[in-house]
Amino acid sequence: MRALQVTILGYWGGYPSAGGATAGYLVTTDEGQILLDCGSGVMSRLPYHTSVERLSGVILSHLHHDHMADIGILQYAAVGALRTNRMSEKLKLFAPEEPSDMLVKLQGPHSDITPIRPDLKVRLAGADIEFVPVEHTISCFAVKITYKGKVLVYSGDTSYCESLIELARDADIFLCEATICEGSYHTTGQGHMDAGQAAAIAEKARVKKLVLVHLPSDGNFELMKQTASAVFGGPVFLPDSASMYTV
């Protein structure tokens, strides 16, 4: 394995297509693994690649169900791992403080929760992690993971914002939401981007590889890829359930 690898466990926005999963991205370094978001269906895919006791930590970009629906199920797995001594420490979980009623539901003897704030800096799986607030309908954070000189940036859910350009500057892999698509009824568009906007951020940030995620289940993906490629000069990818990217 190269220094930094991301496996796409789920990439649908809002709700999945048949047999699919919403947001979930497993980041693997030479020193551990990090789960970015844990949406609907992610726990059915995680065992193909790892187990809860091997996770260095879990980061939730925000507390909407399509990004956290399976976190309770992961916590059930942590309870079992703690009980059988496969885990010696609680699950490390990082999440925004708001909505507070959603955060409270994540608390328990299975998890050690750290609130995400703009100034928070974390080290997990040997990687340096930082957060930038983005523009969504609730508190949401984009995530930058740096390991051995390689950089992965995940947009979370957001409308077009300048802060994301700076965070993604020169990233090796940029996972960027592209929920809005012409002809799609998946979203009203509030707090989201289309493929052209995602590509514009990638182009301005000079990222090396753009992966469109948080896709509408009724979207025209060929059109989305064409739209992004017309704006961004680098390679554009649309994931499937077996997608894996390394740097």
Side-chain angles (χ1 to χ4, degrees):
M1 190 197 80
R2 298 184 188 179
L4 188 63
Q5 179 184 85
V6 58
T7 302
I8 310 295
L9 303 178
Y11 56 87
W12 296 110
Y15 50 91
S17 65
T22 58
Y25 312 96
L26 181 65
V27 179
T28 302
T29 73
D30 296 330
E31 301 174 53
Q33 295 179 309
I34 305 160
L35 182 62
L36 292 179
D37 283 339
C38 191
S40 173
V42 168
M43 274 301 289
S44 69
R45 298 180 181 275
L46 191 70
Y48 289 111
H49 306 281
T50 193
S51 56
V52 64
E53 62 266 24
R54 294 173 61 190
L55 294 176
S56 303
V58 180
I59 297 170
L60 300 180
S61 63
H62 64 295
L63 300 180
H64 272 158
H65 292 297
D66 54 328
H67 293 256
M68 59 167 288
D70 273 11
I71 189 64
I73 310 305
L74 181 64
Q75 289 173 320
Y76 284 162
V79 168
L82 287 165
R83 186 177 61 245
T84 56
N85 296 317
R86 288 179 288 117
M87 285 174 64
S88 59
E89 298 180 347
K90 296 179 182 179
L91 184 68
K92 291 184 173 64
L93 178 59
F94 302 82
E97 295 178 282
E98 299 293 337
S100 58
D101 61 325
M102 297 294 287
L103 185 63
V104 165
K105 295 176 182 178
L106 303 181
Q107 296 175 353
H110 39 59
S111 301
D112 181 6
I113 300 177
T114 300
I116 297 176
R117 301 186 179 101
D119 59 349
L120 179 67
K121 295 188 185 301
V122 176
R123 191 169 181 85
L124 290 174
D128 294 311
I129 304 171
E130 54 190 290
F131 306 88
V132 165
V134 289
E135 298 177 8
H136 192 42
T137 54
I138 63 171
S139 177
C140 183
F141 289 85
V143 184
K144 180 178 181 179
I145 299 176
T146 304
Y147 182 73
K148 293 185 177 179
K150 301 298 183 180
V151 176
L152 178 148
V153 172
Y154 169 47
S155 69
D157 283 7
T158 182
S159 57
Y160 185 95
C161 62
E162 295 292 325
S163 60
L164 186 53
I165 297 172
E166 193 54 42
L167 186 71
R169 185 78 61 195
D170 299 318
D172 294 281
I173 303 176
F174 182 35
L175 304 178
C176 190
E177 82 117 272
T179 316
I180 303 169
C181 178
E182 183 179 350
S184 167
Y185 295 94
H186 192 90
T187 178
T188 63
Q190 184 180 8
H192 292 290
M193 289 188 287
D194 60 29
Q197 291 172 309
I201 290 176
E203 180 68 19
K204 290 180 179 179
R206 301 189 302 273
V207 307
K208 296 178 178 64
K209 184 183 298 182
L210 171 62
V211 183
L212 300 178
V213 296
H214 206 265
L215 305 180
S217 57
D218 60 350
N220 182 335
F221 303 128
E222 186 58 37
L223 173 62
M224 294 176 72
K225 187 170 184 179
Q226 290 174 359
T227 300
S229 296
V231 177
F232 175 56
V236 177
F237 298 90
L238 274 78
D240 57 35
S241 59
S243 290
M244 184 181 295
Y245 306 96
T246 59
V247 292

